[in-house]
Amino acid sequence: MTQTAAQRFLQDAAVKSADLVHREIIRRGMDSYDAAHLKGRARIKDWEAAREKCQEIKRDAINHLDRFLLQFEEKVVARGGHVYWAANAEEACAYVKNLAIRLGVRTVVKSKSMVTEEIHLSPALEREGIKVWETDLGEFIVQLRNEAPYHIVTPAMHLNRGQIATLFREKLDPGISSDDPADLMAVARRKLREAFFTAEMGISGANFLVADAGVVAISTNEGNGRLCTSIPPIHVVVTGIEKVIPRLEDLAVLWPVLATSGTGQGITTYSTMIAGPRQSGEVDGAGEFHVVLVDNGRSQLLADAEQREVLHCIRCGACLNICPVFRHVGGHTYGTTYPGPIGSVLTPHLNGIGEFKHLSYASSLCGACSSVCPVKIDLHHHLLQNRRNATESRVTKSSERVIFRMWRAVMSSPSMYALGGWTMRKALRTLYALGLAGTILDPMRVWNRYRAPVPLPSESFRARWRKDRAAS
Ligand code: SF4
């Protein structure tokens, strides 16, 4: 029987939560992120004011998305570039694939881009016999393992150096004896260097599309982005339509805030702006320059006034890093391109609420994600809205709807509430006294399977309250 996405999630979550090696790797990664993030925030004079400014810029951009995208397109086309509007993943992949075939491309080098993961661009090209090299080190590692990125900023954070050394020995060079990161990096660099100089096409994403300048802004730490976009004769930018921002000067706050939230850096090592194909007199850059603007469900989200702000996301990964659920179950468990809180909010919009409604429940609703988001997206309330939308659109099970109707009836009647509390207290006390906590008979078994049951009081809070008031 085929498993549903929700069943896979629960199964993988149980496996990952019990995998102590995995949890230790993630804990270490997150500890060093937390320290760097705190230090980075302290570097900015007024972090809250910076967040508010970023929110304002993105709100302006998303509220006037059509105008800014057209302005961006006009500038790119005026410099000899091409802009293609892709309504969905199929159209975006078909455009890049046909372009590659028409121009005789055999090898592609790619820098990190979550949109290309979302639309499954690499498999689409590889089905045509085109070799695709991921050139971000983390992406290169997960490509060798034939798996999806684990995290939107650090794709291979779930692996330690020993696991990477073993992988490189198996896939690249059986003679590798060291697991020193510098040595492993050198192996990857040698391999990728060949690819950079043989590829006919470079594919990148975009962190921002600047409307008034017609510029694609890319932040990287490894320099691979610059090599992908300047050495091959063709450069294709594949990006979501929500990446547009109004003005060049907006980068002055967005770039440092993105770097601080993403990795704790003041600014990423390479902050690149590309304004179209190579112009006469310029020494580098691609002669052919294409931008694929991917919609793939974003316009529908734009039409949703309540959740439109989800399009403000600058993919910094901060909400993943702080999320207690992500820290336990890890990125792959979500089974989506975008994991963590932002993925749980966004995926039902991109891939359907019917299949991905369970992600709205993969949250403690602690609100940590909203408090850390640099563009102030109210993530945990959007999770609640997704739960409500799932219920209203009747994609939930009828048994679940019946249970919640009963729950509502009990919660809105004081006498039924008191009776329900009394019955549950009696039943659970008896079960626990018989040592049956966590068994199939225990309605609290999901909780009690892993914990000692909380001792239940003999009387309700309301009864104690009444007694205390009478005594005082
Ligand atoms: S929702 Fe906010 S915190 Fe999460 S990735 Fe997007 S910008 Fe970063």
Side-chain angles (χ1 to χ4, degrees):
M1 202 173 70
T2 336
Q3 274 188 321
T4 63
Q7 286 166 334
R8 269 197 307 277
F9 179 89
L10 286 175
Q11 187 178 302
D12 293 352
V15 171
K16 283 295 169 197
S17 312
D19 180 344
L20 297 184
V21 174
H22 169 259
R23 284 184 48 187
E24 178 59 14
I25 295 171
I26 300 310
R27 191 192 61 74
R28 280 183 190 211
M30 294 308 185
D31 282 355
S32 64
Y33 167 81
D34 288 345
H37 185 218
L38 265 179
K39 212 164 133 196
R41 278 166 51 166
R43 235 185 265 125
I44 293 179
K45 195 170 167 195
D46 188 339
W47 176 250
E48 283 311 308
R51 285 177 79 207
E52 265 156 37
K53 185 69 194 165
C54 292
Q55 181 189 35
E56 193 187 297
I57 293 167
K58 287 297 296 189
R59 189 186 293 132
D60 182 26
I62 297 301
N63 285 350
H64 305 99
L65 194 61
D66 52 345
R67 174 153 62 82
F68 291 128
L69 283 170
L70 289 170
Q71 195 184 358
F72 170 80
E73 179 186 36
E74 194 187 310
K75 298 270 174 188
V76 170
V77 171
R79 280 200 210 91
H82 306 268
V83 175
Y84 178 72
W85 299 71
N88 50 39
E90 292 72 36
E91 284 189 15
C93 288
Y95 181 82
V96 182
K97 188 182 76 184
N98 293 337
L99 180 70
I101 293 170
R102 180 162 59 80
L103 299 176
V105 172
R106 305 307 311 150
T107 306
V108 166
V109 278
K110 256 185 92 241
S111 68
K112 198 162 90 56
S113 150
M114 292 310 293
V115 177
T116 58
E117 296 290 335
E118 174 191 325
I119 64 173
H120 304 294
L121 179 59
S122 296
L125 292 173
E126 285 178 339
R127 278 196 293 274
E128 300 301 319
I130 298 166
K131 173 73 190 157
V132 180
W133 289 91
E134 293 290 348
T135 64
D136 170 273
L137 183 60
E139 291 278 351
F140 178 65
I141 291 166
V142 293
Q143 185 186 34
L144 288 178
R145 285 170 62 93
N146 201 19
E147 65 185 16
Y150 181 92
H151 185 285
I152 60 178
V153 174
T154 42
M157 77 175 298
H158 57 307
L159 301 171
N160 60 29
R161 59 163 85 174
Q163 290 166 322
I164 295 168
T166 307
L167 174 74
F168 279 15
R169 249 191 312 277
E170 277 169 23
K171 304 277 177 166
L172 301 177
D173 179 357
I176 294 172
S177 56
S178 160
D179 67 356
D180 186 302
D183 295 337
L184 297 172
M185 183 96 83
V187 174
R189 189 175 282 141
R190 272 197 301 278
K191 197 76 200 163
L192 290 173
R193 195 158 289 269
E194 288 166 30
F196 284 126
F197 289 103
T198 49
E200 300 91 356
M201 178 184 275
I203 296 178
S204 73
N207 291 98
F208 303 103
L209 306 170
V210 185
D212 71 348
V215 153
V216 176
I218 303 175
S219 314
T220 65
N221 275 320
E222 297 172 17
N224 64 309
R226 284 193 177 169
L227 294 171
C228 283
T229 57
S230 58
I231 299 178
I234 309 156
H235 175 200
V236 182
V237 181
V238 182
T239 176
I241 53 174
E242 79 283 12
K243 292 294 178 77
V244 77
I245 56 168
R247 295 159 296 268
L248 194 60
E249 69 199 45
D250 296 331
L251 289 176
V253 61
L254 284 167
W255 254 344
V257 164
L258 172 61
T260 302
S261 294
T263 53
Q265 292 167 284
I267 190 98
T268 49
T269 313
Y270 301 94
S271 299
T272 307
M273 289 191 245
I274 301 163
R278 182 197 295 211
Q279 306 292 304
S280 78
E282 289 181 350
V283 292
D284 59 13
E288 280 269 340
F289 180 76
H290 297 251
V291 181
V292 181
L293 297 172
V294 181
D295 185 318
N296 209 29
R298 288 161 174 80
S299 293
Q300 233 171 314
L301 187 49
L302 183 68
D304 180 344
E306 189 177 58
Q307 296 210 317
R308 177 181 301 161
E309 69 158 358
V310 174
L311 293 170
H312 296 185
C313 174
I314 56 172
R315 305 282 188 264
C316 70
C319 59
L320 283 62
N321 299 342
I322 203 156
C323 176
V325 175
F326 182 92
R327 285 180 177 223
H328 279 77
V329 305
H332 287 151
T333 298
Y334 289 80
T336 56
T337 304
Y338 306 101
I342 182 61
S344 299
V345 173
L346 186 60
T347 308
H349 287 278
L350 301 184
N351 298 357
I353 196 151
E355 197 183 349
F356 289 98
K357 64 179 184 299
H358 63 282
L359 294 179
S360 315
Y361 297 88
S363 166
S364 63
L365 295 179
C366 62
C369 47
S370 307
S371 72
V372 82
C373 175
V375 285
K376 303 187 78 164
I377 301 175
D378 194 1
L379 288 156
H380 65 294
H381 281 108
H382 291 307
L383 288 170
L384 281 172
Q385 287 154 4
N386 278 0
R387 291 183 191 185
R388 182 207 56 207
N389 293 347
T391 311
E392 287 180 354
S393 60
R394 302 183 78 79
V395 292
T396 49
K397 284 192 212 142
S398 49
S399 55
E400 199 178 312
R401 288 200 296 278
V402 170
I403 289 168
F404 275 107
R405 246 179 245 134
M406 285 165 61
W407 175 259
R408 186 174 59 190
V410 171
M411 293 304 280
S412 34
S413 154
S415 52
M416 280 174 76
Y417 180 79
L419 178 66
W422 181 86
T423 314
M424 279 302 280
R425 220 171 26 256
K426 288 276 174 218
L428 289 177
R429 278 168 69 88
T430 312
L431 268 178
Y432 296 170
L434 294 171
L436 295 172
T439 65
I440 187 84
L441 298 173
D442 181 3
M444 303 295 289
R445 64 182 168 278
V446 176
W447 180 265
N448 287 337
R449 213 180 289 150
Y450 302 104
R451 301 165 183 88
V454 179
L456 289 155
S458 55
E459 58 185 357
S460 71
F461 173 77
R462 282 148 57 100
R464 282 172 62 187
W465 178 262
R466 267 196 306 272
K467 263 194 216 161
D468 283 358
R469 283 187 62 121
S472 62

